[in-house]
Each structure stands twice: as structure tokens, then as C-alpha cells.
Amino acid sequence: ESGSGITLDNPNSSTDLYYTTDGSDPMGADGKVSGKAKKHAKGTVIPAGSKVTVRAFTTNNWGPIASNQ
């Protein structure tokens, strides 16, 4: 987290990161992407103070949940 916001880094090019800014789980019902989730794009800055919750995703496989709260 920097003074201007939060940036995410995905070191694994074979996965996508999905995140929410309200603390909810990016993984929705039935293992699908939640309607509140956004797909991370390099260079995205999330507003400071957001309740960021992140999961990595690759075909039919969600990673563990991570949060800044």
C-alpha cells in the first residue's frame, strides 16, 4: 500500500487475480467470479483505505483468499 493507493502484483503469469474493494469474497456462488469482483490489470491503483480481498484464479481452480483487513 502506498500513499496514493494500493497496487497488486501477480508474479504468476498463468493465473488471473480477482479482487473486491468491499471485503467480500471474489469467488461467488458455485465457484464462479462474484459480480462484485474485478479482474486485476497491471498498473491498477486501488484507492487507499479500500477493504481489498484477493484470490488467484486459473481454469476451475481458486487460490486461497487474502485480505488487507
Side-chain angles (χ1 to χ4, degrees), residues 4-26:
S4 61
I6 301 165
T7 57
L8 302 174
D9 181 37
N10 184 5
N12 188 343
S13 63
S14 66
T15 64
D16 291 316
L17 293 182
Y18 285 90
Y19 68 94
T20 61
T21 56
D22 65 357
S24 64
D25 192 338

Side-chain angles (χ1 to χ4, degrees), residues 6-65:
I6 301 165
T7 57
L8 302 174
D9 181 37
N10 184 5
N12 188 343
S13 63
S14 66
T15 64
D16 291 316
L17 293 182
Y18 285 90
Y19 68 94
T20 61
T21 56
D22 65 357
S24 64
D25 192 338
M27 182 178 71
D30 299 324
K32 297 185 172 141
V33 177
S34 164
K36 295 181 178 183
K38 298 175 184 168
K39 186 176 177 182
H40 172 261
K42 188 173 178 158
T44 299
V45 178
I46 301 165
S50 298
K51 295 178 182 177
V52 181
T53 305
V54 182
R55 280 189 190 258
F57 179 78
T58 188
T59 307
N60 298 320
N61 188 16
W62 286 97
I65 195 167

